[in-house]
Amino acid sequence: MGYVITIDTDKCTGDGECVDVCPVEVYELQDGKAVAINEDECLGCESCIEVCESDAIVIEEN
Ligand code: SF4
């Protein structure tokens, strides 16, 4: 079982909070937007959701 990460690029401000908080380095910024480059590593801790001020991140179990 893993997690599917969806980032609303219209909402993402590129502040990089998710990049900094994620313990397994799922995110990086590309052209000023967060991209989940290591989605397979996601632990489902939801720390990135908590720090995202624009509510741009949705994480679902699959
Ligand atoms: S839920 Fe946790 S492990 Fe998954 S991307 Fe967010 S901060 Fe990283």
Side-chain angles (χ1 to χ4, degrees):
M1 195 166 71
Y3 296 91
V4 177
I5 301 171
T6 305
I7 302 169
D8 186 330
T9 53
D10 290 333
K11 291 182 178 177
C12 179
T13 62
D15 66 7
E17 292 293 327
C18 57
V19 178
D20 292 339
V21 78
C22 179
V24 289
E25 299 182 359
V26 164
Y27 299 102
E28 75 174 20
L29 292 181
Q30 294 180 6
D31 297 326
K33 300 286 182 178
V35 177
I37 57 166
N38 288 317
E39 185 179 56
D40 291 349
E41 300 294 319
C42 177
L43 307 169
C45 68
E46 301 193 356
S47 298
C48 53
I49 293 173
E50 289 170 19
V51 298
C52 182
E53 293 183 356
S54 51
D55 292 327
I57 302 170
V58 174
I59 296 184
E60 296 167 300
E61 288 184 27
N62 71 0

